[in-house]
Amino acid sequence: MLFKSAPIRFGSLRVRPPLSAPGMAIGLLGGSFNPPHEGHRLITEIALRRLRLHQLWWVVTPGNPLKSHDGLASLEMRLALSRALVPDNRVTITAFERAMPQPITVATLAVLKRRFPHVRFVWLMGADNLATIHRWHLWRDIFATFPIAVVNRPGFHLKALSAPAAHAFARHRLPEQEAPLLAYKSAPAWVFLTGPLSELSSTQLRDQNNVHTA
């Protein structure tokens, strides 16, 4: 049950997510992917293996409402770079949020929950996002919509697990060894995944490119 009234009114017929079948376990990795990098691919590989997902969707957003759009590459370019980086047939690169009037996480998840009631979705995010998700719009509704898998990031282990969201949903956290069961749990439920870490970030790569082209 959602804590507030999530904006399911955004479930317009113009929004066309990828196809799926009832009973499938599908991971959702959202972001601007500006640019996509090995860190994104590492999260994808960890999630597919540890959560035993059938598919994983990269939900490439038109633009993060919490970030400046200065330096944001075109959506078409980011989609092309993402597909080139991850040629795994279990991974679908999609930009269905561009048909939404408000491409924010809580609205996206509400649309998918309404459109695919029999699919087992898991929202994926890095530990850096868990550390700040309490600033997101209707963040408690995000936890209440689908189970969440948090993948550790360098320097964020303690920050993430001591953040307001981690405390608010502490009793809903699964032991890491139960990660394969996460997709079949009712929300709220979440797990913190440790393993190989990547130091890369999209911001770092953009800064490096700016230095090289200056």
Side-chain angles (χ1 to χ4, degrees):
M1 182 176 180
L2 300 187
F3 286 90
K4 297 180 181 179
S5 180
I8 58 173
R9 63 184 179 277
F10 294 133
S12 166
L13 293 177
R14 295 183 295 108
V15 180
R16 298 187 181 277
L19 296 177
S20 61
M24 293 184 73
I26 299 176
L28 303 167
L29 182 61
S32 59
F33 298 93
N34 186 46
H37 54 71
E38 289 295 328
H40 295 129
R41 185 159 73 173
L42 181 60
I43 289 176
T44 298
E45 292 172 351
I46 290 172
L48 285 168
R49 183 177 71 253
R50 300 284 302 280
L51 303 176
R52 299 182 186 174
L53 302 172
H54 298 109
Q55 291 183 9
L56 195 148
W57 298 354
W58 282 23
V59 184
V60 184
T61 183
N64 187 328
L66 296 180
K67 296 181 180 179
S68 169
H69 290 185
D70 292 342
L72 183 66
S74 71
L75 183 58
E76 289 71 22
M77 178 178 291
R78 288 180 282 131
L79 288 170
L81 291 173
S82 297
R83 292 182 179 118
L85 182 65
V86 187
D88 189 323
N89 59 13
R90 295 173 297 173
V91 179
T92 299
I93 312 299
T94 176
F96 69 85
E97 283 185 323
R98 62 183 152 190
M100 297 174 61
Q102 284 188 264
I104 56 176
T105 299
V106 68
T108 297
L109 301 189
V111 166
L112 293 176
K113 188 177 183 69
R114 187 179 190 184
R115 190 76 61 85
F116 304 111
H118 303 298
V119 172
R120 300 288 185 169
F121 286 110
V122 175
W123 178 253
L124 307 173
M125 62 179 171
D128 51 332
N129 283 330
L130 180 61
T132 59
I133 195 173
H134 58 282
R135 302 172 188 165
W136 296 18
H137 183 58
L138 294 178
W139 65 274
R140 291 178 180 271
D141 282 12
I142 294 173
F143 271 84
T145 305
F146 294 135
I148 296 174
V150 182
V151 181
N152 197 16
R153 291 289 308 275
F156 280 94
H157 192 130
L158 295 178
K159 292 178 184 177
L161 294 181
S162 61
H167 284 297
F169 290 93
R171 69 186 182 91
H172 299 288
R173 181 183 173 190
L174 274 63
E176 191 170 359
Q177 62 268 27
E178 294 185 16
L181 304 177
L182 181 66
Y184 304 96
K185 298 288 185 179
S186 297
W190 65 285
V191 68
F192 191 89
L193 300 177
T194 57
L197 303 178
S198 172
E199 298 281 354
L200 287 175
S201 73
S202 295
T203 301
Q204 178 186 31
L205 291 175
R206 289 196 303 274
D207 290 344
Q208 290 175 352
N209 289 336
N210 289 338
V211 169
H212 293 158
T213 57

